[in-house]
Amino acid sequence: MRLASFAAAAAFVVAAPVFAHAQDVTPLVTAQWLLEHAGDENVKIIDIRDEIEGTDLGDLPYVAGAAVAPYASYGWRTEVEGVPAQIPPPEQIGKLIGDLGIDGDDHVIILPWGTDSSEFGGATRVYWTFKYLGYDAVSILDGGWRQYDAAGGERVAEAAVPAKAEFPVNVRPELRATTPDVEAALAAGTKLIDGRPEAQYLGQSKSPVVRIEGTIPGAINLPHSKLYSAEFASFAQPETVAALEQAIGLGKDEKNIVFCNTGHWASIAWFALHEVGGNKNTAMYDGSMAEWAADPARPIQ
């Protein structure tokens, strides 16, 4: 979906300062920033693109210096107690990240394809994973591969082979909502934000992993497609996020929980509200409708 505020590609560039400390790291970096800093000792690029080998990129399909960890197959999400696409146990996901050569001194850059909002959600979900594990020095390349390649980023024939490292884990439980948290939010009147397309929110269609159509009672809809421009390969600016918050009646810093089907599209809304918009009272329900609707006793609107 194209937003009126996506008036020009240049309007959606988020600048980032030179990396020095975690507090200097911004949620998004530009392709130009990455070209200038890709060779820095503490900058680590994680290429999460799926099916790189199956594309028409020829003999140079990889990003120079990047460790490859495809979103769909590396192990970023797994089934937990019958609920699909959950974050793995901290020690398990921490080891996977450490195997990519990332330790406590690195500025991690996550690089997706950047094709559309749904695909870009892989980057926001991986970003949320780092934040949930207590790691702040992480950014997403705005526009992903599309912007990197357009800017003349170096392409190579082989993916980098990182030396394994120890990744520090310090879980922040407040970033992840559980089913009891959502039940408590329902009782307290805390805003629940459904990041799915409108048709799923209205119960006109559903994901195969969800038992029944509908949404959590009282939820408001913030479709993920409103947060990323497929045309310009760029994420929404803070002023766009603020306008969308106002449109759904979410107050500044108001407590809320975002959800979708499995915590993929919800991560886009979480990234927009929590990181770009600065609302640190936003949590993500990664069990989402797959977990909520699995129990027929839980209410569905």
Side-chain angles (χ1 to χ4, degrees):
M1 180 184 298
R2 185 190 305 180
L3 292 179
S5 53
F6 284 111
F12 285 78
V13 173
V14 177
V18 174
F19 172 68
H21 303 288
Q23 61 265 31
D24 297 327
V25 176
T26 54
L28 295 159
V29 297
T30 65
Q32 187 58 45
W33 184 96
L34 185 57
L35 266 57
E36 293 172 1
H37 296 280
D40 293 358
E41 180 181 359
N42 290 328
V43 170
K44 299 288 178 66
I45 306 169
I46 305 300
D47 187 344
I48 66 163
R49 293 177 296 158
D50 290 321
E51 302 177 350
I52 297 173
E53 298 81 1
T55 64
D56 58 356
L57 294 177
D59 296 331
L60 303 172
Y62 295 101
V63 172
V68 173
Y71 178 63
S73 59
Y74 186 66
W76 296 109
R77 305 200 292 170
T78 190
E79 182 174 309
V80 177
E81 297 181 355
V83 181
Q86 300 294 282
I87 188 169
E91 64 278 5
Q92 180 179 331
I93 189 65
K95 181 183 184 304
L96 286 174
I97 294 173
D99 288 349
L100 296 173
I102 298 173
D103 58 31
D105 296 323
D106 296 320
H107 181 184
V108 177
I109 309 298
I110 303 166
L111 189 149
W113 283 110
T115 52
D116 55 33
S117 60
S118 187
E119 187 275 332
F120 197 80
T124 55
R125 175 60 189 245
V126 171
Y127 180 102
W128 174 85
T129 298
F130 275 91
K131 290 285 187 170
Y132 175 70
L133 296 177
Y135 199 82
D136 285 323
V138 58
S139 305
I140 299 174
L141 174 60
D142 199 10
W145 169 266
R146 286 175 61 188
Q147 294 287 10
Y148 178 83
D149 198 41
E154 183 181 358
R155 295 166 52 173
V156 295
E158 301 290 338
V161 180
K164 293 183 180 181
E166 286 290 325
F167 178 76
V169 172
N170 184 22
V171 170
R172 292 174 173 139
E174 69 274 11
L175 297 187
R176 184 189 188 196
T178 63
T179 294
D181 291 331
V182 175
E183 290 171 337
L186 263 178
T190 300
K191 281 196 171 63
L192 301 173
I193 299 174
D194 188 336
R196 298 178 299 167
E198 185 180 45
Q200 292 190 15
Y201 168 70
L202 295 175
Q204 298 168 348
S205 64
K206 73 176 187 69
S207 165
V209 302
V210 179
R211 181 182 62 86
I212 191 171
E213 295 87 350
T215 190
I216 301 174
I220 50 181
N221 192 207
L222 178 57
H224 63 83
S225 58
K226 291 188 175 184
L227 295 164
Y228 183 83
S229 170
E231 180 178 1
F232 296 124
S234 193
F235 203 83
Q237 283 275 14
E239 56 267 29
T240 302
V241 174
L244 290 168
E245 287 178 317
Q246 184 176 13
I248 62 174
L250 181 67
K252 180 176 173 58
D253 298 326
E254 182 178 359
K255 187 175 181 180
N256 67 95
I257 296 173
V258 297
F259 68 94
C260 58
N261 293 310
T262 62
H264 172 81
W265 288 332
S267 73
I268 304 169
W270 177 87
F271 182 80
L273 299 175
H274 192 282
E275 297 297 293
V276 177
N279 184 344
K280 302 308 180 183
N281 291 315
T282 300
M284 190 185 80
Y285 179 27
D286 66 337
S288 285
M289 290 303 297
E291 182 171 356
W292 182 264
D295 184 349
R298 295 190 191 112
I300 299 287
Q301 176 180 311

